[in-house]
Amino acid sequence: MSIENIVIGTRGSKLALWQTNWVRDRIRKLHPEIGVEVRVISTKGDRIQNVSLPKLGEEGKGLFTKELEDAMLDRQIDLAVHSLKDLPTELPEGLHIGAISEREDVRDALVARSGISSFDDIPEGARIGTSSLRRQAQILAARRDLILDPVRGNVDTRLGKVDSGEYDAIILASAGLRRLGHEDRITQYISQEFMLPAVGQGALAIETRSDDPAINRIIHELEHEPTKLACRAERALLKGLGGGCLVPIAALGIAGDRTLSLRGLVARPDGSEIVRGEGEGPVGDAEEIGYRLAEELLRRGADRVLDY
């Protein structure tokens, strides 16, 4: 069956539009005979800006995805582009991840006021902005003297809070900064050894209907196999731990030609306890590696940390 037009759903933020337009342009390049339309859909996460994500709890699951998924199931749009780290491990019936694109830089980035050149330079008692419990836990494990406050809003809004002096520094995903042309604002790329990234960080997920073979054939052309395998392992770890994007869980998979390695951690939000682990196996066993590492972390006390 031939396709004449594809409608892509997206959130309206600059970063979401950049990501969606990147996918649109790739489809147009591969299939110039197909029209591609972008449709902006507001999500609950876009409308709620005065509540930190951790305080939303279970209500926060699917915060940035539900309205897009509803539109897809209603056939108002054909696909949706997400930051993979925002996509829950359990998707609505009838939807799946059609492709995962090649990953950008997975590291977190420090954006600091003038006078601070690295994380080690941050003075005692400085105010750091982040709404991520994962980042908060890993920062406090190393620097309990810092004050961490939630920060919401789009990338430009958050950068403005540093410029205005509201925060001494903020932590953002380097992928988003680079995609929006703000690489020059990065004070320091934070090493993965110091701060393990979020599950799926830096990767884009293209969500489609499972029963739409024509769309899925086209979207599959955007798949990056090593990124897909690494992220499958990370998401299996997250699912095995029973966590979501609002829980202090971090992971990083690296897929080689034959072997996939995976590191993961579970932390208390205050950084007082962190359970770490590593796993490795054949690239074809990506999900099994993730589930196996989840079981190991739970045996070593991650269940107690998660129930804290």
Side-chain angles (χ1 to χ4, degrees):
M1 184 181 72
S2 62
I3 297 176
E4 295 182 356
N5 192 62
I6 293 175
V7 181
I8 307 177
T10 180
R11 296 168 56 206
S13 72
K14 283 186 180 180
L15 182 56
L17 288 169
W18 186 100
Q19 294 171 169
T20 299
N21 289 336
W22 182 87
V23 171
R24 177 201 63 192
D25 293 346
R26 290 287 306 277
I27 295 173
R28 284 176 173 173
K29 185 175 181 179
L30 292 167
H31 296 277
E33 75 283 3
I34 297 176
V36 186
E37 174 190 345
V38 172
R39 186 171 300 170
V40 175
I41 296 173
S42 175
T43 69
K44 189 174 183 179
D46 298 311
R47 296 188 294 272
I48 299 177
Q49 292 291 326
N50 59 344
V51 181
S52 67
L53 297 180
K55 287 184 178 179
L56 290 169
E58 287 296 310
E59 187 183 351
K61 290 186 177 180
L63 197 64
F64 299 107
T65 60
K66 185 179 185 302
E67 287 83 355
L68 291 163
E69 291 172 334
D70 289 345
M72 217 177 328
L73 290 169
D74 290 342
R75 299 189 178 270
Q76 298 172 24
I77 61 175
D78 298 303
L79 57 99
V81 180
H82 310 281
S83 292
L84 181 58
K85 66 184 180 65
D86 293 334
L87 198 60
T89 54
E90 296 286 350
L91 301 182
E93 185 176 354
L95 301 180
H96 74 153
I97 297 176
I100 296 175
S101 69
E102 185 172 5
R103 213 168 201 170
E104 240 287 5
D105 194 312
V106 301
R107 294 173 292 180
D108 287 301
L110 174 73
V111 177
R113 62 169 171 78
S114 177
I116 297 175
S117 59
S118 71
F119 198 88
D120 292 337
D121 287 343
I122 299 176
E124 183 177 344
R127 190 178 183 207
I128 311 299
T130 177
S131 290
S132 162
L133 290 179
R134 170 190 63 84
R135 290 172 181 145
Q136 172 184 304
Q138 293 180 86
I139 291 170
L140 290 176
R143 293 283 306 271
R144 302 198 69 81
D145 59 292
L146 299 177
I147 299 170
L148 272 72
D149 285 335
V151 57
R152 291 289 310 279
N154 59 38
V155 172
D156 288 333
T157 298
R158 298 186 193 200
L159 293 175
K161 291 179 183 293
V162 176
D163 297 337
S164 68
E166 187 174 344
Y167 294 92
D168 294 291
I170 57 174
I171 311 293
L172 296 169
S174 62
L177 290 166
R178 289 163 62 96
R179 284 170 174 150
L180 290 176
H182 291 313
E183 190 172 0
D184 62 322
R185 294 298 308 269
I186 296 175
T187 303
Q188 180 187 29
Y189 288 97
I190 303 175
S191 73
Q192 300 152 16
E193 286 67 34
F194 179 82
M195 186 177 292
L196 206 59
V199 168
Q201 185 158 311
L204 302 183
I206 305 170
E207 191 176 15
T208 60
R209 289 184 293 271
S210 308
D211 64 353
D212 201 336
I215 290 290
N216 283 309
R217 276 196 300 272
I218 292 170
I219 296 309
H220 182 70
E221 298 175 52
L222 278 60
E223 185 107 271
H224 186 253
E225 190 72 10
T227 300
K228 178 192 74 174
L229 293 169
C231 291
R232 275 188 177 176
E234 294 169 18
R235 285 171 65 81
L237 168 66
L238 183 63
K239 188 174 181 179
L241 291 170
C245 65
L246 305 179
V247 177
I249 295 172
L252 179 61
I254 299 176
D257 292 336
R258 296 183 179 181
T259 304
L260 188 150
S261 62
L262 178 66
R263 287 186 289 154
L265 68 80
V266 179
R268 295 187 190 273
D270 63 2
S272 61
E273 185 175 3
I274 297 180
V275 180
R276 303 176 187 268
E278 298 182 11
E280 187 176 274
V283 292
D285 295 340
E287 292 187 346
E288 182 182 339
I289 294 167
Y291 286 126
R292 198 163 58 229
L293 181 54
E295 291 174 358
E296 179 187 333
L297 292 174
L298 290 170
R299 282 197 302 270
R300 292 168 54 190
D303 53 347
R304 182 186 67 254
V305 174
L306 288 168
D307 290 338
Y308 176 66

